Amino acid sequence: MLATKAPDGIYREQIRDFLASNFYLPDADVLEDHTSLIDQGIIDSTGVLEVIGFIEETFGITVEDSELRPENLDSIQGIAHYVTRKKS
């Protein structure tokens, strides 16, 4: 049986790959999906802007000012859920 990943799982992989390529992560595979990227010092305010650019370019969605909230942008899980909601 061929298993397929839900879009949320695919988005998580893309987000993790982006973070590993653009920010200092000693081991991206051990970063838990719910870990706060800001609290762990992985991204700062400039990094948030880079994440927004990545989301808009990669997933073809616009991040509105009213959506700039930690629950949408501060973890792999939050970003994946946000992208899933925006694309549905």
Side-chain angles (χ1 to χ4, degrees):
M1 181 172 159
L2 181 62
T4 59
K5 287 189 173 188
D8 189 82
I10 295 169
Y11 299 155
R12 287 176 197 229
E13 287 182 19
Q14 290 177 290
I15 295 161
R16 184 177 303 280
D17 290 345
F18 168 77
L19 293 171
S21 297
N22 293 281
F23 300 97
Y24 176 71
L25 291 175
D27 187 354
D29 293 333
V30 299
L31 177 64
E32 295 188 38
D33 288 350
H34 65 275
T35 299
S36 170
L37 301 173
I38 293 175
D39 287 348
Q40 293 302 310
I42 297 168
I43 63 172
D44 57 13
S45 57
T46 303
V48 171
L49 297 176
E50 292 180 50
V51 169
I52 291 168
F54 161 75
I55 292 169
E56 291 184 334
E57 184 174 313
T58 303
F59 302 110
I61 58 177
T62 300
V63 179
E64 305 293 338
D65 289 345
S66 62
E67 299 168 329
L68 300 177
R69 294 186 271 171
E71 61 265 28
N72 291 336
L73 303 171
D74 190 33
S75 67
I76 292 172
Q77 176 179 309
I79 297 168
H81 287 174
Y82 171 74
V83 170
T84 300
R85 284 193 312 273
K86 289 285 283 191
K87 291 186 75 71
S88 59

